[in-house]
Amino acid sequence: MKKVTVGITAHVDSGKTTLAEAMLYKTGAIRKLGRVDNGNSTLDTNSIERERGITIFSAQAELSTGNTHFTLLDTPGHVDFSAETERTMCVLDYAILVISGTDGVQSHTTTLWKVLRKYEVPTFIFVNKMDLIGAEKSSIIKNLSSRLSGNCVDFTGNDDEIAESCSMCCEEFMEHFITHGTIENELITKAIAERRIFPCFFGSALKMDGIDEFISGLDRFTREYESRPNFSAQVYKISYDQKGSRLTHLKVLGGQLKMREELTYKDADGNEISGKISSIRFYSGEKFRTADYAEAGEVCAVTGLVGTFAGQGLGCAENSQKASLEPVMTYKIVLPDQKNIYEAIKELRLLEDEDPQLHILWNEQNKEIHIQLMGAVQLEVLSKIIEKKFGYSVSFSDGAVTYKETIRNAVEGVGHYEPLRHYAEAHILLEPLPTGSGLQFAADCSEDKLDKNWQRLILTHLTEKTHLGVLTGSPITDIKLTLVAGKAHLKHTEGGDFRQATYRAIRQGLRNAESVLLEPYYNYEIEVPTENVGRVISDLQHMSADFDTPENIGEMSIIRGCAPVSEINDYQTDIIAFTHGKGKISFNIAGYRECHNAEAIINWIGYNCDSDVENSADSIFCSHGAGYIVKWNEVYDHMHLPLTISEEQQEEESSEQKRAKAARFMEKAVSDEELMEIFERTYGKINRDPVRAFKKTKAVSIEDKKVRLPKYEGPDYLLVDGYNIIFAWEDLKKIADDNLDAARGELINRMCNYQGYDGSELILVFDAYRVKGKHREVEKYCNINIVYTKESETADSYIERVTHELSKNHRVRVATSDGIEQMIILGNGAMRISATEFRKRYEAAERSIREYIDSMK
């Protein structure tokens, strides 16, 4: 009988645990069918899971059918517990991805799909809830093909139909099908294992429809894991049983694991540890059976091992890749008054042991415990776990996103540590990496200059610490750290000297580099009634969010995109409010990007890198038998080794950057200088910084993928100089040559459409100052305000006065090509939009509206 490890995963509320329950019941593994709603499902063993009705911890079960013995691993579906899901995926032979028949591919589904691809896990798809209204097989297959893979194949027909469907996946299968009239099961099984075909099954787990066919398909189209010759195992989870025994959950990849066998391995800090296996357990829900050994391909939990961690490789196996799903929120833990803070942090470290993505941070300066996690649901669960496990209640405060830092340019950092009878100098090259690369470490230093043992020690120091950036004190990422030079003393150098030199070299490099603040982003999926689309798009623009063209499905519209976690994290409440409970939003982690409001965040955090004595960028040199401190910006003048990147090269690079900045500044300064002269000749001298007063603001185009806007109170305002636009747009100018009223009416209609898309308060201003006895008139037409100025009042003067008042608290844009008027607009703090740029925006909005209308047909 072949042994196969299969994991089941899904977006929350897709029916994943219900499907697992149905599979166990159908194969006779359980005698009574449990329900998530009733809190008696086999795999949700924790009381908190049963109370909330969601899976929080991965659970194991065993079932057999046909010629296959399956180890089934159930994983959490909620995005807050994604890290638990990802850790489990590294030990799977196959995965079952559950899709809701009524919802299709959702935001978190795409995240799971990417993680499955990262670990190259062959995947079966089960489309659940097909008994509900709105679940249609053809539309779901189309959705799967467009959102996941074009090789998602319907496997619910007979063998001939399956073979014919598989033939469409590649030319090789097409030729084979034409030649032989079929495709053998062996070829299909091989293609599934190589992720060239993704079988799709349909049914209802709650009503037990399609379960037998699905189990039969798993039996027919899976193959046994190919074991390795020598002992190796992969750890994927750490937990504690009811008696407090530490359980190391692992999959044996090769050889055999025996009772009372002694294993030697390294813990997370690199220390070598020996542990003896005291028991081997095979779990099925809460129950387990013990055995004397575990063979290759089997998943078990063992006791007796300490210092193990999720992702660890034992025997010949290497540690698994770093998890791509990381916590994005940080909270301060508030303990009861009577609780000793040092005892509490020891207890909380046990939770960190079970969940390595749960980062416990100790703030020595403020004597505070901080914790990093994924979101609010995990926060609620964590508080209950602490109360249940340790017997006291905690609360959380100061919730904020977890920022990171990187650099924009390469720089060589130098650290020198030479107090009396100590000596070490290290040169570390810091190079920026693509987004999402994390930290990489390397050595490119000749052994003739620095002994190999010292180089290994420096590499250890590079990896052993969380290095902090200089903008906010946040951890650094997306940087390659390379040891390029170093120097030791034959007599005075000790191991700890290079630790100090390495830390200071990294810090000094960061001080010299151009640092960039990063923040976490969410991929979001918003579903709202179509009538609320305009409101959502306006909100997303204020959040500095990216968004795609809305997709219409009946009376609802779906908007997908990417937004900063700090802006969109609490948007669910707003959506429920303005849609009266009809709207919803779901998230998945999109990684880190450049912070959209970096300057404000840096000022808010108020980190002073010079005051951070634990992360000093300064070096220590020795003179006349005493050590003295050299500031980071003077280290290059005192270092004992030359830079591997010569000072001339660094100067050339720096000069090029300076020349480019100077050219941009001069271009701006000349333009603003001319405007300043005109302004002062007309209106007199102004007493503020001319460069700041006339600072250009880059216009944000709807065609730009990323929209970045500052925060303002209340609605945005767009003022349009009517006649200026009419005579600047060629098509309107032609109409005006024949009939000015017709051109005005055409512009009014266009502005009504544009306002519906843009969402701002649009004020269209027309000159009426030549009309005798005319008073200013303001009329509301459709969704815009039209202003006809009074006698002796130009549109320019009206716009000047209104922008001066509105720009105090609102984001104000003015569309005009009048040079003098643009000057006044800038002086009042509003944004200027030329007639040409405004035409570009208008046409982009019209295209989006047409695409949206076409999607409704």
Side-chain angles (χ1 to χ4, degrees), residues 220-363:
R220 288 177 60 192
F221 296 111
T222 55
R223 62 185 187 184
E224 191 168 22
Y225 170 79
E226 296 180 7
S227 63
R228 305 177 186 180
N230 300 319
F231 170 73
S232 55
Q234 191 83 51
V235 179
Y236 71 94
K237 177 183 174 182
I238 304 297
S239 68
Y240 292 83
D241 65 12
Q242 295 179 350
K243 296 181 179 179
S245 300
R246 190 176 192 273
L247 299 174
T248 300
H249 298 259
L250 54 85
K251 180 181 180 181
V252 181
L253 305 176
Q256 194 178 67
L257 182 65
K258 300 178 181 178
M259 275 277 291
R260 291 179 291 279
E261 182 176 355
E262 187 166 338
L263 300 179
T264 302
Y265 50 90
K266 291 185 178 180
D267 63 12
D269 297 325
N271 302 315
E272 191 168 282
I273 296 178
S274 293
K276 183 179 289 187
I277 305 296
S278 56
S279 70
I280 299 176
R281 305 177 183 180
F282 293 91
Y283 274 86
S284 190
E286 290 182 298
K287 301 177 181 178
F288 65 87
R289 59 180 176 86
T290 58
D292 293 332
Y293 59 88
E295 296 181 329
E298 293 184 324
V299 178
C300 61
V302 301
T303 59
L305 301 183
V306 295
T308 50
F309 56 91
Q312 181 180 24
L314 300 177
C316 299
E318 296 182 355
N319 295 347
S320 63
Q321 303 176 49
K322 181 182 178 182
S324 57
L325 304 175
E326 297 183 358
V328 296
M329 300 296 294
T330 302
Y331 295 86
K332 183 178 77 174
I333 298 180
V334 181
L335 298 169
D337 294 336
Q338 69 275 12
K339 183 63 182 179
N340 184 289
I341 193 168
Y342 297 102
E343 290 181 3
I345 197 168
K346 289 181 180 179
E347 294 168 341
L348 294 172
R349 291 290 184 196
L350 296 176
L351 300 181
E352 189 180 36
D353 191 25
E354 296 183 49
D355 186 354
Q357 295 302 96
L358 194 72
H359 300 316
I360 306 295
L361 308 174
W362 170 246
N363 187 320

Side-chain angles (χ1 to χ4, degrees), residues 713-726:
E713 298 177 5
D716 293 351
Y717 282 86
L718 172 62
L719 282 79
V720 179
D721 188 338
Y723 289 127
N724 183 278
I725 297 297
I726 287 175

Side-chain angles (χ1 to χ4, degrees), residues 442-671:
D444 186 16
C445 179
S446 171
E447 292 184 33
D448 295 334
K449 296 180 179 178
L450 186 65
D451 188 76
K452 194 69 175 178
N453 289 332
W454 292 127
Q455 292 192 35
R456 290 197 188 99
L457 184 62
I458 292 173
L459 286 174
T460 300
H461 296 324
L462 287 175
T463 58
E464 69 186 0
K465 179 183 178 181
T466 300
H467 302 286
L468 304 182
V470 297
L471 297 177
T472 61
S474 301
I476 60 173
T477 187
D478 299 338
I479 300 176
K480 183 178 182 180
L481 304 170
T482 306
L483 168 64
V484 292
K487 186 177 180 180
H489 193 281
L490 290 174
K491 183 177 180 181
H492 293 153
T493 299
E494 298 178 358
D497 298 344
F498 271 114
R499 174 184 286 109
Q500 287 291 331
T502 302
Y503 291 172
R504 293 169 190 268
I506 295 172
R507 193 72 170 176
Q508 196 262 356
L510 292 172
R511 293 300 300 269
N512 280 288
E514 181 183 354
S515 294
V516 180
L517 185 64
L518 305 176
E519 66 176 335
Y521 271 66
Y522 275 148
N523 288 322
Y524 64 83
E525 183 176 288
I526 299 173
E527 183 177 349
V528 293
T530 302
E531 62 191 34
N532 298 121
V533 167
R535 162 67 186 271
V536 172
I537 289 177
S538 177
D539 289 345
L540 292 174
Q541 287 178 332
H542 282 86
M543 294 176 189
S544 299
D546 302 343
F547 51 88
D548 299 328
T549 302
E551 176 185 341
N552 180 258
I553 301 176
E555 297 180 353
M556 305 295 286
S557 291
I558 296 177
I559 304 173
R560 299 184 181 92
C562 191
V565 172
S566 59
E567 298 285 352
I568 203 170
N569 200 39
D570 298 323
Y571 192 45
Q572 173 73 38
T573 306
D574 293 343
I575 289 178
I576 292 174
F578 68 73
T579 64
H580 305 291
K582 297 179 182 178
K584 62 180 180 179
I585 184 171
S586 57
F587 303 115
N588 65 73
I589 299 167
Y592 277 77
R593 299 186 185 181
E594 190 168 338
C595 185
H596 76 287
N597 58 340
E599 185 176 351
I601 296 301
I602 292 170
N603 292 334
W604 173 69
I605 293 177
Y607 176 71
N608 187 341
C609 50
D610 290 323
S611 301
D612 190 351
V613 293
E614 294 184 3
N615 296 280
S616 176
D618 305 333
S619 286
I620 299 177
F621 288 80
C622 187
S623 178
H624 304 294
Y628 65 97
I629 295 175
V630 173
K631 297 299 292 181
W632 64 271
N633 55 340
E634 300 174 0
V635 171
Y636 289 149
D637 298 328
H638 294 76
M639 61 189 180
H640 292 180
L641 294 173
L643 294 173
T644 56
I645 298 179
S646 67
E647 293 185 40
E648 289 78 11
Q649 288 175 312
Q650 287 194 336
E651 278 297 319
E652 287 174 7
E653 293 175 0
S654 178
S655 297
E656 288 177 5
Q657 293 174 354
K658 289 178 180 177
R659 280 196 296 272
K661 289 180 180 178
R664 289 194 297 268
F665 175 79
M666 288 303 296
E667 181 183 349
K668 178 177 81 68
V670 168
S671 173

